[in-house]
Amino acid sequence: MGRKPCCEKAGLKKGPWTAEEDRKLVNFMLNHGKCCWRAVPKLAGLLRCGKSCRLRWTNYLRPDLRRGLLSEAEEKLVIDLHSQLGNRWSKIASHLPGRTDNEIKNLWNSHIKKKLRKIGIDPLTHMHIIPSANEQTHQQPKQQRRHVDAWSDGDEKAEEATSKYCCEVDKVPEAEEKSAVSTSDRALDIADASLSSCPEFCTDEVPIIQPHEILNPCGSSFSSSSSSSSSASCSPPVHQQKLGEDPRISGVWMT
DNA sequence: AAAGCTTCCAACCGCACAGTT
DNA sequence: TAACTGTGCGGTTGGAAGCTT
């Protein structure tokens, strides 16, 4: 039968969202709530396809999003859930309030996967990797040592405990799961202890963008004319903003 | 200081599925 | 029942930022 594209491609903007576009979308969503995504761009005055709007909203602008690093407990949960659900990121995300499938997917691919490999767990099967002599020589690329992991680097105890946890998760279902969990909790305790010396590492207090800050990102000085890269004095294009640097992000919205 | 490499993440793409006509 | 539409999901990519040499 052949599918039509989700939206007319011609004339629609692609690529990074500008602060102005964000403002329009948030404005619309807050005023009208979630409705037919196809209609959103038109009604909100955006030159985007509905799909793009949905993605931007669910992955970045949604008020209930928690941003920032996953806590140890969240990571553990992600690993647990992944071992049960596989790459069903949306299902996994549904167990982590305020987290998006995209975020978890990214985190898994860029971070957790490596951690698991590092401690000898195959991230696909969650089984132990039994490296051949060959593989062993190929592992540990030189770049890896500079990768700072909360779990392992600089905290051998945490790595030890964590790897112990992972061993048990592999083989121990239901009955002994509690002991596995408690082991992992120990790992977390250790990790937490090491992290507690670093007060900045607290995802519970990761600032989240507030609606009024989007609607008026820079207070009275916000200029709607500075839509894209020209907004340097106010807020840079959103895609250039690193977490925690986003001037619009502070506190938790819609409490 | 700068070149090269790696990491991270926002955003896109295409497919699948459910709902509607 | 088939055709069509809208939405959701997972895989992938591009480019900025950060790190190493």
Side-chain angles (χ1 to χ4, degrees):
Chain A
M1 60 181 115
R3 278 181 67 82
K4 279 168 86 177
C6 70
C7 51
E8 306 90 310
K9 302 272 178 186
L12 290 183
K13 193 166 176 288
K14 279 165 62 173
W17 282 64
T18 63
E20 175 68 10
E21 287 176 310
D22 280 350
R23 191 185 59 79
K24 282 182 178 174
L25 181 57
V26 169
N27 230 341
F28 178 83
M29 295 304 291
L30 292 179
N31 287 330
H32 299 87
K34 191 176 162 183
C35 70
C36 171
W37 283 113
R38 201 181 168 90
V40 166
K42 198 178 268 181
L43 297 172
L46 291 162
L47 282 171
R48 297 272 180 175
C49 72
K51 203 172 180 177
S52 183
C53 292
R54 178 176 60 81
L55 222 61
R56 183 65 180 168
W57 175 255
T58 53
N59 287 336
Y60 201 88
L61 299 173
R62 235 172 58 197
D64 58 331
L65 279 183
R66 292 177 66 206
R67 303 193 63 83
L69 294 172
L70 262 71
S71 66
E72 291 290 322
E74 283 177 312
E75 277 194 23
K76 183 173 78 70
L77 186 55
V78 169
I79 293 167
D80 273 352
L81 290 167
H82 186 272
S83 70
Q84 296 164 29
L85 302 168
N87 290 3
R88 292 185 201 139
W89 305 116
S90 58
K91 292 262 181 279
I92 294 172
S94 68
H95 288 80
L96 292 127
R99 301 294 184 181
T100 69
D101 53 351
N102 205 35
E103 187 181 10
I104 291 170
K105 182 171 60 183
N106 280 335
L107 197 93
W108 180 269
N109 287 328
S110 67
H111 194 55
I112 300 180
K113 237 172 163 176
K114 283 175 202 151
K115 277 187 183 177
L116 289 178
R117 287 214 185 93
K118 203 169 178 182
I119 59 176
I121 306 289
D122 181 355
L124 268 180
T125 61
H126 292 260
M127 305 290 278
H128 282 282
I129 298 167
I130 304 164
S132 67
N134 254 357
E135 280 170 337
Q136 264 181 326
T137 59
H138 283 93
Q139 287 202 347
Q140 287 295 344
K142 69 172 181 180
Q143 291 290 343
Q144 201 145 29
R145 72 188 152 77
R146 69 185 172 88
H147 187 77
V148 180
D149 283 334
W151 274 10
S152 46
D153 292 350
D155 193 339
E156 291 177 8
K157 275 185 186 175
E159 177 170 5
E160 195 180 322
T162 309
S163 96
K164 188 175 175 187
Y165 150 68
C166 292
C167 302
E168 294 185 30
V169 163
D170 283 343
K171 61 182 186 219
V172 189
E174 324 246 315
E176 290 179 34
E177 204 171 327
K178 274 187 182 172
S179 72
V181 168
S182 64
T183 309
S184 71
D185 285 347
R186 266 188 46 222
L188 292 178
D189 287 345
I190 293 166
D192 285 348
S194 67
L195 288 170
S196 66
S197 60
C198 177
E200 289 153 26
F201 192 87
C202 177
T203 54
D204 286 340
E205 292 173 11
V206 170
I208 302 212
I209 187 169
Q210 300 202 7
H212 69 270
E213 288 170 326
I214 288 186
L215 301 176
N216 192 5
C218 291
S220 57
S221 67
F222 176 69
S223 159
S224 63
S225 64
S226 56
S227 56
S228 58
S229 57
S230 61
S231 59
S233 65
C234 175
S235 60
V238 174
H239 70 285
Q240 292 181 351
Q241 296 166 358
K242 281 284 178 187
L243 272 177
E245 293 170 2
D246 189 337
R248 302 166 307 158
I249 295 177
S250 73
V252 179
W253 26 332
M254 297 187 100
T255 53

